[in-house]
Amino acid sequence: MPSLALRAALVQFVLALTWIVYVLHLPAMLDAAGIARRWLVWILLADQITFVLADWAAGAWADRLATVWARFGRLFLAAAIVSSVLMLSLPWLAAQGSGALLVLVTFAWTLTSSALRAPLFTLLGRFGADARASSRLAGAALAGAGFASAIGPWTASVLRGGDPRVALGVGAAALIAAA
């Protein structure tokens, strides 16, 4: 179980840190796509609302599908790959100057990455031998997200001004590896 807890923490860490990197580079990508910066707050707000709704929906479906979970393992790996490709395409789309396409792909990425976050907790609840083990696994996952938030300011200071393709590329590779 310790390795499962570590993997759960790693998945949540990568997902949370990837979002921090995305937010760091989003203003420059909006500029490149010709979208006024005044839309940044609204895009991030819509992004978070999408996460909330998609997390809820993915969690509800994950609970219903838990009995046939093994059949969906490849589907979730495919979702991780699609999510990573969408994330990697953001800087390229921004450079093309297509603001509408950048926003559309941003929300597609939000939906696919959310599909990877919520079902994890259903899985952790099923793998725990008892309530104590399940709560430890869930706690490890939350610790991973918390650690990403804790190092977020440091990450932002290190990556500020860097190429978003590199930062998002590392995040995409880590996401696929974690999935």
Side-chain angles (χ1 to χ4, degrees):
M1 185 160 48
S3 68
L4 180 59
L6 184 59
R7 284 183 278 171
L10 178 64
V11 168
Q12 292 301 308
F13 173 79
V14 168
L15 289 171
L17 196 57
T18 299
W19 191 82
I20 292 167
V21 170
Y22 151 76
V23 170
L24 173 68
H25 291 291
L26 186 58
M29 290 190 292
L30 292 178
D31 289 344
I35 298 174
R37 285 218 181 180
R38 71 174 185 268
W39 291 104
L40 174 67
V41 171
W42 295 106
I43 290 170
L44 290 174
L45 179 62
D47 181 270
Q48 290 303 294
I49 291 169
T50 302
F51 267 127
V52 167
L53 296 175
D55 278 355
W56 174 81
W61 279 103
D63 192 46
R64 292 181 184 151
L65 296 174
T67 57
V68 292
W69 205 256
R71 289 188 243 166
F72 292 97
R74 288 193 173 116
L75 181 64
F76 285 100
L77 180 58
I81 292 168
V82 168
S83 182
S84 294
V85 168
L86 291 171
M87 183 174 47
L88 283 171
S89 72
L90 294 176
W92 182 79
L93 291 170
Q96 301 305 310
S98 177
L101 191 55
L102 176 67
V103 170
L104 180 68
V105 172
T106 296
F107 288 108
W109 168 68
T110 301
L111 288 171
T112 57
S113 65
S114 184
L116 299 170
R117 291 181 338 156
L120 175 67
F121 288 97
T122 298
L123 282 174
L124 295 177
R126 304 275 180 190
F127 278 109
D130 57 24
R132 176 177 262 171
S134 293
S135 65
R136 285 183 185 152
L137 290 171
L142 291 172
F147 185 65
S149 295
I151 68 166
W154 174 80
T155 304
S157 68
V158 169
L159 296 176
R160 188 167 311 282
D163 188 343
R165 294 172 297 183
V166 173
L168 294 175
V170 169
L175 176 61
I176 291 172

